[in-house]
Amino acid sequence: MNGTAEVTVLRLGHRPGRDERMTTHVGLTARALGADRVCFPDNAGQSKATVSDITNRFGGPFDVELTDSPQAMLRNWAGKVVHLTMYGERVQDVEAEIRAAHQDDGEPLLVVVGAEKVPFDVYEQANWNVGVTNQPHSEVAGLAVFLDRLFEGQELEREWEDADRQVIPMATGKRVESIDEE
Amino acid sequence: MNGTAEVTVLRLGHRPGRDERMTTHVGLTARALGADRVCFPDNAGQSKATVSDITNRFGGPFDVELTDSPQAMLRNWAGKVVHLTMYGERVQDVEAEIRAAHQDDGEPLLVVVGAEKVPFDVYEQANWNVGVTNQPHSEVAGLAVFLDRLFEGQELEREWEDADRQVIPMATGKRVESIDEE
């Protein structure tokens, strides 16, 4: 997000068909809640297209990429790695430390979100394995709460560039305004 | 959640097959992040079975129900209704008011989460239409952030009853302990 070190979300594992919507929702959640970029496995082209389309219409900057080697990306990341898992340390116990690394030390963060069973070396490569609760629920929910806490709500104030439309908050009803190109 | 007025999550709309995982994730997120109950449309029996199974293994109390008339439930709710929608007021602007109604006035909350297009009368029946961002992303992400803010993180400290297993938070690796019945 504007003014902070890069935050990239890496989706590990994608089963075409079965995971399409979950992977898409991981990408859209990353965008809406302050990440700069999402990387999907290279068989998730359909999810990439959906997230790119939303970015084109509702604004950015936000990058969507495919990678043929998520493991290499993880190994070579020049920054800190957070792996979201129900087996990890409690988010409320480690979030201050992660925030300090990101905001104070300017470390780029790679936030890893698994789909199917995550290989054990991911647990070892992560600087933090973090549980948004130690209960089974949803990788999308875990990512959302993690990002909201990482950015301490500042992501909700983000402004969007190059949007062609904008939703105007309303107590009742729907209002979408077109944004004219200058 | 223990000691606060009831919070029920109502899932509106469910297309069997297509929405199975999203509806399941709405239910699991509701459970993990402090709601007392989730209601699904009556064609979401498979999602109900999954959420019930998780509750049996990982603990409760948490209720999962099907309803043949979500609209009637909405109309007859004895408390306040929050409808999560990207067209609504900004969560950061209305959360204090909602929290006051729930925590100070003891109002039971019905949190409505849509799937396909939501009928306009839902917007009118809601006491608050709330946007967790006014960007398109994920109803699961929106629900997660809303609940975390409603409970101000206290939901992460919740203890579970009648679980037969418990995940122990770990910096690296996985640890699941069986809980013996007394």
Side-chain angles (χ1 to χ4, degrees), chain B residues 19-177:
Chain B
D19 288 335
E20 225 62 66
R21 285 180 80 201
M22 296 311 301
T23 296
T24 299
H25 282 218
V26 165
L28 293 177
T29 297
R31 172 185 171 277
L33 295 177
D36 299 286
R37 182 164 63 128
V38 71
C39 285
F40 294 147
D42 59 3
N43 61 351
Q46 191 179 322
S47 293
K48 174 177 190 276
T50 303
V51 178
S52 296
D53 178 56
I54 293 288
T55 302
N56 288 338
R57 290 191 285 149
F58 288 88
F62 185 74
D63 290 326
V64 195
E65 294 171 14
L66 299 180
T67 171
D68 60 3
S69 180
Q71 299 279 359
M73 188 171 173
L74 190 56
R75 270 196 312 275
N76 301 326
W77 183 254
K80 298 291 188 185
V81 174
V82 174
H83 172 220
L84 299 179
T85 162
M86 65 178 276
Y87 300 102
E89 295 181 278
R90 308 187 323 156
V91 63
Q92 63 269 46
D93 295 340
V94 293
E95 63 180 88
E97 195 183 331
I98 298 173
R99 219 160 27 226
H102 178 243
Q103 285 171 20
D104 303 343
D105 305 341
E107 294 275 5
L109 284 191
L110 186 65
V111 181
V112 182
V113 177
E116 41 195 332
K117 199 166 153 58
V118 171
F120 190 70
D121 59 0
V122 174
Y123 289 81
E124 294 182 320
Q125 284 164 352
N127 296 94
W128 296 275
N129 290 286
V130 178
V132 175
T133 81
N134 297 101
Q135 297 293 319
H137 56 106
S138 171
E139 63 267 41
V140 173
L143 176 63
V145 169
F146 177 77
L147 291 174
D148 189 40
R149 286 172 170 252
L150 175 69
F151 295 121
E152 296 182 292
Q154 286 307 307
E155 81 285 357
L156 301 179
E157 308 294 337
R158 176 177 176 176
E159 298 194 351
W160 299 91
E161 299 170 14
D162 298 324
D164 67 14
R165 70 193 66 190
Q166 182 182 11
V167 172
I168 309 298
M170 296 272 283
T172 310
K174 301 181 186 184
R175 187 166 160 205
V176 183
E177 289 192 346

Side-chain angles (χ1 to χ4, degrees), chain A residues 50-114:
Chain A
T50 303
V51 179
S52 296
D53 177 56
I54 292 289
T55 302
N56 288 338
R57 290 191 284 148
F58 288 89
F62 185 75
D63 289 325
V64 196
E65 293 171 15
L66 300 179
T67 171
D68 61 2
S69 180
Q71 298 279 359
M73 189 173 173
L74 191 55
R75 271 196 312 275
N76 301 325
W77 182 254
K80 300 291 189 186
V81 175
V82 174
H83 172 219
L84 299 180
T85 162
M86 65 177 278
Y87 300 103
E89 296 181 277
R90 308 189 320 158
V91 63
Q92 63 268 47
D93 295 339
V94 294
E95 63 180 88
E97 195 183 329
I98 298 172
R99 219 159 29 224
H102 178 242
Q103 285 171 20
D104 303 343
D105 306 341
E107 294 275 5
L109 285 190
L110 186 66
V111 182
V112 182
V113 177

Side-chain angles (χ1 to χ4, degrees), chain A residues 119-134:
Chain A
F120 190 70
D121 58 359
V122 175
Y123 290 82
E124 293 182 320
Q125 285 164 351
N127 296 94
W128 295 276
N129 291 286
V130 178
V132 176
T133 81
N134 297 102

